[in-house]
Amino acid sequence: MSPESRAKGLKVALVLFGTICFLIYPLAAIWPSGWVWHSGGGQHYFQMICGIYAVLGWFLIRASSAPQNHKSLIGFTIWSSIVHAVIMAIQVSHDHMEIGHLVGDIPALIIVAAVLWYLSPRVSETPRTSERTSK
């Protein structure tokens, strides 16, 4: 994949994943076993998660206009998604009532991390600081 097509794909992915972050609540209403933990008993927890993901979604959409200026946000999204998915997978292994998450939010987080990682510019494609300032 060329750097140009990767950059275009990254912009689209940031908007798509940012929009999906706003849809966590409706996804949970449609498919609670794949998106809501503790059988919905932890409403305060779920509201907090929806709020955090809405903020992340807003910043991902904003970052889509110039992803090269938001590498740390993209990196945070990749790594926090991986950590979140691993922790949830471990929790599912101990609480089989939450098994629906293995086909719901856990794979979704892994997909987000994998796509953003794949579409992120490679180190060899990133201009060095001295090259950027000399232009």
Side-chain angles (χ1 to χ4, degrees), residues 46-106:
F46 184 63
Q47 291 168 356
M48 177 196 60
I49 290 296
C50 288
I52 289 170
Y53 274 99
V55 171
L56 177 61
W58 172 251
F59 279 92
L60 290 175
I61 292 168
R62 289 187 62 203
S64 70
S65 64
Q68 69 279 5
N69 296 335
H70 301 280
K71 290 178 191 173
S72 61
L73 173 66
I74 295 167
F76 170 80
T77 305
I78 292 168
W79 284 105
S80 66
S81 296
I82 291 168
V83 169
H84 193 163
V86 167
I87 290 169
M88 289 193 311
I90 292 168
Q91 290 175 341
V92 165
S93 72
H94 297 314
D95 184 355
H96 298 292
M97 296 293 293
E98 305 291 351
I99 200 83
H101 297 281
L102 289 175
V103 293
D105 46 7
I106 294 171

